Each structure stands twice: as C-alpha cells, then as structure tokens.
Amino acid sequence: MTDLSIKNLSYVDNFKHTVMGNFANFKGRASRSEYWRFYGITIVIAGIINVLSALFMDTALASVFGLISMAYNVAILLPSIGLGVRRLHDVGKSGWMLLISLVPFGIIYVIYLLAQKGDEGDN
C-alpha cells in the first residue's frame, strides 16, 4: 500500500493494516498519521478492556478481562515494535533507537523522535 493511500485510511482501517497486513515489517517508513492513528485505537481498546475489568472487579469476569488484556497486549507487541521501527526510519534514525526507551527518561527522547516530521526523500 502506498504512503498516500495509508494516509487516507480511517482509524480502524489503519489499525487493521498495521496489525494484519504490516505486522512484522521492519523495513520502510511509517508516517506520523499511521503511527499515531494506530496508537489512538490501541489506547481506546485498552481503555475499554480496563473499564470493563474495573466494572466487574469483584466477579469472575475480572479474571477473564485480565486474560483478554494480556492476550491483546501480546498480540499487538510485534506490530507496535515494527511500526515504531518504521516510524524511526521515517525521521532518519535507526530502529535500534527504540531501545533507548528502556533506560530512565529515554522514553521522552523516543516520543520526541516519533512526533517529528519525517524526512523527505528515500531512506
């Protein structure tokens, strides 16, 4: 799918494209809109699961929602890493820069990079 057609996708279609069609792609680029649309949907889905878990906290359903939350987090792990690597490629950085988020305060620099406008031209 071309960059222009990805930019014109709805939030849900962008999420589907990232998770199903591009989940293990660590090459190429990801635009800011592709990246932040994916995380917007991810936050909404995680929020819904957490609210439902809190509503049913004292019942057996809390365990079910806990397992659903864990399964969802595992399912989006690889697409999230791939998308982050492609986003860093778009700003001219190596995908390995994503590892900086593992050190204290490194996440601030990574978020700064992810929010930057992409470089013009080829990688």
Side-chain angles (χ1 to χ4, degrees):
M1 201 172 260
T2 66
D3 287 340
L4 184 59
S5 61
I6 290 172
K7 288 180 182 179
N8 293 329
L9 291 177
S10 69
Y11 280 81
V12 174
D13 291 335
N14 182 66
F15 184 81
K16 287 180 193 175
H17 170 72
T18 302
V19 171
M20 294 184 191
N22 224 2
F23 72 95
N25 181 9
F26 296 94
K27 296 183 184 334
R29 295 175 161 202
S31 66
R32 276 191 295 188
S33 64
E34 180 183 359
Y35 183 82
W36 293 111
R37 285 180 183 192
F38 172 80
Y39 276 100
I41 293 293
T42 298
I43 289 169
V44 167
I45 292 171
I48 290 170
I49 293 170
N50 288 334
V51 165
L52 290 172
S53 180
L55 286 174
F56 299 107
M57 187 176 356
D58 295 331
T59 66
L61 285 176
S63 305
V64 172
F65 285 115
L67 290 173
I68 290 171
S69 177
M70 189 184 319
Y72 177 72
N73 288 331
V74 169
I76 66 164
L77 180 64
L78 191 59
S80 297
I81 293 170
L83 185 60
V85 167
R86 291 194 319 270
R87 180 71 199 120
L88 287 172
H89 288 170
D90 192 43
V91 295
K93 301 291 183 187
S94 168
W96 290 103
M97 293 289 287
L98 203 56
L99 293 175
I100 291 176
S101 63
L102 298 176
V103 299
F105 304 108
I107 190 71
I108 296 169
Y109 180 63
V110 172
I111 290 172
Y112 167 78
L113 291 175
L114 296 172
Q116 295 299 304
K117 182 178 180 185
D119 293 340
E120 299 293 327
D122 294 332
N123 283 357

